[in-house]
Amino acid sequence: ETGVTQTPRHLVMGMTNKKSLKCEQHLGHNAMYWYKQSAKKPLELMFVYSLEERVENNSVPSRFSPECPNSSHLFLHLHTLQPEDSALYLCASSQDSGAWGETQYFGPGTRLLVL
Amino acid sequence: AQKVTQAQTEISVVEKEDVTLDCVYETRDTTYYLFWYKQPPSGELVFLIRRNSFDEQNEISGRYSWNFQKSTSSFNFTITASQVVDSAVYFCALSENDYKLSFGAGTTVTVRA
């Protein structure tokens, strides 16, 4: 596999469920990102990890919990979500989050529907 | 305030027509980076180009070309001889002084056969 992969590609969950989104990058990068893309809204940065340490938490509700066990893997744990959390969740990676103007490479996203 | 403005919400063209996507940005920094990404219906954002503020040379890559004008704070993107596979949402983004990307709202391009 090359680039950035995400699983699952589609997810439907009830408000009381717990699920996890997985992202894996095969680019040898040190930084990983979670974005939320809702209809009619610009992409919203949620979390940033650099060398497995969280460097950004963009006022995201606690029902979203990220985890970065190593520089190649990033998870987003979901629990007690709301219907307004339905969106496309995109993972990205870059060589280094500390460097300025780094190109971010994105995965295909997980399309989440909360019922 | 919106840092990146893509005024065109949707553009529809017939195959082989040229299409130009506008991007206007706002920054007080003298050094910054600009990006274009393509998002096909599959969802993945595909990186197209990165340009730093000191390099105002226009760039051409196959049917794609970019026109960077610092004087008007614009970084426009042209697809020449469009094809159906060019149908996608195109995003312009700005990176000012760290890793964060400020994305525009995107322009949906539909190329009809």
Side-chain angles (χ1 to χ4, degrees):
Chain A
E1 295 243 36
T2 58
V4 182
T5 58
Q6 290 186 243
T7 54
R9 294 294 310 276
H10 300 270
L11 179 62
V12 179
M13 60 186 289
M15 289 190 282
T16 58
N17 291 157
K18 289 185 180 181
K19 296 286 184 183
S20 295
L21 309 184
K22 178 184 175 183
C23 175
E24 185 173 358
Q25 59 95 1
H26 309 268
L27 300 169
H29 289 167
N30 294 318
M32 297 187 78
Y33 309 75
W34 278 118
Y35 285 87
K36 176 183 178 182
Q37 186 179 27
S38 306
K40 312 291 183 187
K41 283 187 176 181
L43 271 78
E44 302 171 51
L45 179 63
M46 300 175 72
F47 300 104
V48 181
Y49 277 81
S50 178
L51 294 170
E52 301 126 56
E53 285 194 24
R54 192 188 307 180
V55 297
E56 178 88 20
N57 178 356
N58 218 12
S59 302
V60 178
S62 59
R63 57 186 184 269
F64 295 92
S65 174
E67 179 191 359
C68 188
N70 55 62
S71 59
S72 299
H73 293 86
L74 184 65
F75 294 89
L76 188 62
H77 303 300
L78 317 171
H79 63 98
T80 58
L81 294 192
Q82 305 297 311
E84 60 265 28
D85 296 322
S86 299
L88 179 68
Y89 288 85
L90 290 159
C91 175
S93 71
S94 66
Q95 184 62 50
D96 180 12
S97 73
W100 174 31
E102 286 278 328
T103 298
Q104 294 179 24
Y105 295 89
F106 287 79
T110 294
R111 212 165 282 278
L112 173 67
L113 177 62
V114 181
L115 300 175
Chain B
Q2 187 78 358
K3 293 186 177 181
V4 177
T5 302
Q6 295 181 253
Q8 304 145 307
T9 306
E10 295 183 28
I11 300 176
S12 181
V13 297
V14 177
E15 227 175 358
K16 297 184 183 176
E17 286 185 356
D18 297 348
V19 56
T20 295
L21 311 181
D22 298 334
C23 172
V24 174
Y25 60 92
E26 184 180 330
T27 181
R28 292 181 180 178
D29 291 348
T30 55
T31 307
Y32 49 89
Y33 288 84
L34 294 162
F35 300 80
W36 275 97
Y37 285 88
K38 171 184 179 181
Q39 187 175 39
S42 58
E44 177 179 356
L45 265 76
V46 178
F47 166 71
L48 297 179
I49 190 171
R50 180 182 84 151
R51 175 55 53 87
N52 76 53
S53 52
F54 293 110
D55 183 2
E56 285 195 75
Q57 272 195 321
N58 291 330
E59 181 151 344
I60 298 175
S61 175
R63 295 185 297 105
Y64 294 169
S65 62
W66 290 269
N67 183 358
F68 180 25
Q69 300 269 355
K70 279 180 81 169
S71 59
T72 55
S73 296
S74 65
F75 186 42
N76 296 338
F77 171 36
T78 297
I79 304 172
T80 303
S82 61
Q83 300 175 3
V84 172
V85 293
D86 296 326
S87 297
V89 183
Y90 291 85
F91 291 94
C92 181
L94 167 70
S95 175
E96 292 178 273
N97 54 10
D98 62 16
Y99 54 81
K100 294 181 184 177
L101 290 177
S102 298
F103 284 90
T107 298
T108 300
V109 173
T110 301
V111 181
R112 308 186 308 277

